[in-house]
Amino acid sequence: MLLIRDFEETAEELYMAGKVWGTFHLYVGEEAVAVGACAALQPEDYITSTHRGHGHCIAKGADVKKMMAELMGKKTGYCLGLGGSMHIADLEKGNLGATGIVGSAIPIAVGAALGCKLQKNGRVVLCFFGDGAANTGAFHEAVNMAAIFKLPVVFMCENNMYAMSFSVKKAFAIADIAERAQGYGIPGVVANGNDVLEVYEITREAVERARKGEGPTLVEAKTYRFKGHSKSDKNVYRSKEEIREWMRRDPILLFEKHLLEEEKVDPQKLQEIKQKVEKEIEEAVAFAEASEELSIEEARRLVYAE
């Protein structure tokens, strides 16, 4: 969680300094969802991600050097600098990638799960998507198919309370998005998305169910993004008081408090972890800045085909 937080805050600084181009969608505040969920997977399992996917990548074991290089448009990036923030994929780690199209990774996850079932390889697909994607046709079609064929997929809805600037209170006629599961005859579970241990336990049960051939589960992790939807978001649709209230439930602070109160780690160890993370991110930035950019000719050759 600290690695994701530091990566995001550093990426934002690089953006403000003009070293990261385009736009990106920060995951700050939602770290417990990605970490708790991916911790319930085996290394060979798959994930599909979203436009807010840096946390998913890191939680699944991505190299932050290659991620930072991708954001800065360098040849050493995951997609040679051509994909940018919203299109990182890491097939070696089971990350099937993401796009900027809301809900687009949900049918991809179901297709991957169908492949796993046909191949009988015992793998599970964890599908991340936001609350806004739960109102797309792709969501309904994909979940319906997964339920019919009992595919090994876990649908992880990261409900951060706003689809861009639109509140879930206005976007849904139900209290919990997890209620949607009833229409497809599959389990629907709500998790405290700021509690990494709760996310882990609920995801672990869903993954075990999927691996046993019992079909999909819809998990709704209720969380909150501390930053705007994207870097162009002026945050005029929510109050500062609301943001401050959610920041008191910071998943990192909550987990630190738990570790200290349960005497599972001492303050010195926590400080060592923070220093290690800071060094790792510093090395990632140095790697990216020292890396070579693609030439226009190389980029054209890789993007266009006769």
Side-chain angles (χ1 to χ4, degrees), residues 90-149:
D90 184 0
L91 301 183
E92 291 184 1
K93 297 292 185 179
N95 182 354
L96 302 180
T99 77
I101 303 170
V102 174
S104 63
I106 307 175
I108 292 172
V110 170
L114 176 59
C116 291
K117 183 167 185 175
L118 293 174
Q119 294 170 35
K120 299 179 181 179
N121 59 23
R123 296 179 181 181
V124 171
V125 184
L126 175 63
C127 173
F128 290 103
F129 59 95
D131 47 277
N135 274 341
T136 65
F139 166 82
H140 294 283
E141 293 180 28
V143 175
N144 186 57
M145 181 178 176
I148 290 170
F149 293 108

Side-chain angles (χ1 to χ4, degrees), residues 48-66:
T48 58
S49 187
T50 71
H51 56 276
R52 198 180 309 283
H54 302 160
H56 310 148
C57 292
I58 293 172
K60 196 63 172 69
D63 184 337
V64 290
K65 289 182 178 178
K66 295 175 69 174

Side-chain angles (χ1 to χ4, degrees), residues 17-269:
K19 295 182 179 181
V20 171
W21 297 92
T23 188
F24 56 92
H25 306 76
L26 295 171
Y27 199 68
V28 176
E30 301 182 42
E31 295 88 353
V33 183
V35 173
C38 286
L41 299 176
Q42 295 297 319
E44 63 271 16
D45 290 331
Y46 298 113
I47 67 166
T48 58
S49 187
T50 71
H51 56 276
R52 198 180 309 283
H54 302 160
H56 310 148
C57 292
I58 293 172
K60 196 63 172 69
D63 184 337
V64 290
K65 289 182 178 178
K66 295 175 69 174
M67 286 181 64
M68 196 67 78
E70 184 62 32
L71 263 61
M72 295 176 71
K74 299 302 183 72
K75 291 173 71 170
T76 51
Y78 270 107
C79 302
L80 305 180
L82 294 169
S85 170
M86 293 187 285
H87 302 93
I88 295 175
D90 184 0
L91 301 183
E92 291 184 1
K93 297 292 185 179
N95 182 354
L96 302 180
T99 77
I101 303 170
V102 174
S104 63
I106 307 175
I108 292 172
V110 170
L114 176 59
C116 291
K117 183 167 185 175
L118 293 174
Q119 294 170 35
K120 299 179 181 179
N121 59 23
R123 296 179 181 181
V124 171
V125 184
L126 175 63
C127 173
F128 290 103
F129 59 95
D131 47 277
N135 274 341
T136 65
F139 166 82
H140 294 283
E141 293 180 28
V143 175
N144 186 57
M145 181 178 176
I148 290 170
F149 293 108
K150 292 188 175 181
L151 299 181
V153 56
V154 176
F155 298 105
M156 176 60 68
C157 178
E158 296 182 297
N159 180 1
N160 62 24
M161 305 300 157
Y162 291 93
M164 289 189 70
S165 61
F166 203 63
S167 170
V168 293
K169 295 177 181 178
K170 298 179 180 179
F172 295 87
I174 51 179
D176 301 316
I177 296 172
E179 291 180 40
R180 292 267 176 90
Q182 297 177 29
Y184 304 103
I186 64 173
V189 188
V190 177
N192 177 357
N194 285 17
D195 184 337
V196 67
L197 297 179
E198 183 172 319
V199 173
Y200 166 74
E201 287 296 338
I202 288 174
T203 307
R204 182 181 59 80
E205 291 178 8
V207 168
E208 288 179 358
R209 181 175 182 275
R211 212 182 300 280
K212 289 189 292 185
E214 297 176 5
T217 301
L218 172 60
V219 179
E220 177 190 1
K222 295 194 176 187
T223 183
Y224 197 80
R225 53 174 167 81
F226 294 169
K227 304 285 185 175
H229 170 71
S230 67
K231 291 308 298 173
S232 59
D233 184 356
K234 293 182 172 59
N235 252 328
V236 296
Y237 50 86
R238 56 184 185 171
S239 67
K240 293 180 179 179
E241 290 74 19
E242 178 184 299
I243 296 172
R244 280 197 292 266
E245 175 58 32
W246 275 95
M247 289 181 76
R248 294 189 189 99
R249 292 177 251 173
D250 185 320
I252 294 176
L253 296 180
L254 289 177
F255 191 51
E256 280 189 5
K257 182 180 178 182
H258 166 77
L259 292 173
L260 293 171
E261 288 180 349
E262 297 293 320
E263 297 183 347
K264 295 181 182 295
V265 66
D266 59 62
Q268 178 61 32
K269 180 61 177 178

Side-chain angles (χ1 to χ4, degrees), residues 73 75 79-83 293-305:
K75 291 173 71 170
C79 302
L80 305 180
L82 294 169
E293 293 183 357
L294 279 176
S295 67
I296 296 297
E297 291 73 23
E298 288 176 307
R300 185 180 293 115
R301 177 174 58 81
L302 291 166
V303 173
Y304 292 98

